[in-house]
Amino acid sequence: ELGMANQSNKKLLQVNTQAIWRLRVLLASTCVLYIMYRFVWHFYTLSIGHYAGATFTFASLAACYWLLTTNAQATYSSTGELLDGGRDLSKGLCEYYYDIVYVGVFVLLTTAFLSDWFWLAYLPVFGFAGFKLYPWVAVFFETFFARGGEQAPLAENRAMRKRRERDEKKQQPKIKYSRR
């Protein structure tokens, strides 16, 4: 039974190893090509913006590569038996890491050979990140930076408003009308 269950871990380890190898080759060849073409051959066209963009891109590619290799790491027992083949790199946050890698490679290749306008290809990445992070950032600012040093009230939805109005109605004194 253990042998059969371990087959999926072995297969996942093999898939992850191949994916990391392909990623390493892609990143190394792209970065070397960019540096050789842009920084060596066309060094006279460089500006501070090129250095900043390249630094940002290299840093984001390195961070994504590190995160992917960390997720792909296998776990072994003290006897050397494979316990876990690592995480599936095609699910979860790893998908976003791959997206950032592909956009970064695209930006490096297009800005090296075609036009500097391709730096704008990062804008959708920043927009999507802002879209995903906005709820947490908004709650953080509402909670900790409310006016007057008090905590900001939570946004009231329709159900909460109806409940509040019903409770307020119950607290009001009832006027009884009688006929005399």
Side-chain angles (χ1 to χ4, degrees):
E1 285 181 37
L2 184 60
M4 293 298 286
N6 213 13
Q7 289 299 324
S8 62
N9 284 332
K10 289 178 182 177
K11 184 175 181 179
L12 183 61
L13 176 63
Q14 181 183 10
V15 169
N16 284 350
T17 303
Q18 290 172 352
I20 294 299
W21 173 253
R22 284 192 305 265
L23 187 66
R24 184 180 303 133
V25 169
L26 174 70
L27 292 179
S29 60
T30 302
C31 291
V32 166
L33 188 63
Y34 182 83
I35 290 170
M36 293 301 294
Y37 185 79
R38 194 67 164 165
F39 285 102
V40 175
W41 192 353
H42 290 288
F43 67 93
Y44 53 87
T45 64
L46 292 176
S47 68
I48 292 176
H50 290 102
Y51 287 111
T55 302
F56 170 77
T57 303
F58 292 148
S60 65
L61 292 176
C64 288
Y65 176 77
W66 179 78
L67 289 166
L68 286 166
T69 55
T70 302
N71 281 311
Q73 284 182 346
T75 307
Y76 295 95
S77 69
S78 59
T79 60
E81 183 181 344
L82 179 65
L83 298 176
D84 182 28
R87 292 197 177 121
D88 188 357
L89 297 182
S90 64
K91 296 180 181 175
L93 286 176
C94 293
E95 292 176 311
Y96 295 130
Y97 303 150
Y98 275 119
D99 292 344
I100 293 171
V101 166
Y102 296 142
V103 170
V105 167
F106 172 79
V107 166
L108 284 179
L109 292 176
T110 54
T111 56
F113 297 112
L114 298 177
S115 170
D116 289 337
W117 285 100
F118 283 99
W119 288 110
L120 297 176
Y122 273 126
L123 290 180
V125 174
F126 295 136
F128 185 74
F131 171 74
K132 286 293 196 180
L133 294 175
Y134 175 75
W136 286 302
V137 173
V139 168
F140 174 77
F141 279 107
E142 287 175 1
T143 303
F144 294 107
F145 296 109
R147 291 185 207 117
E150 299 176 7
Q151 284 191 351
L154 293 175
E156 187 176 52
N157 63 21
R158 184 176 176 216
M160 291 172 64
R161 182 176 45 85
K162 282 189 171 187
R163 187 177 302 126
R164 181 183 49 82
E165 290 172 355
R166 186 183 68 224
D167 291 343
E168 287 174 357
K169 254 186 175 179
K170 285 181 182 178
Q171 291 177 357
Q172 291 177 353
K174 292 187 178 183
I175 301 174
K176 292 184 180 180
Y177 296 99
S178 63
R179 292 186 188 188
R180 291 187 176 188

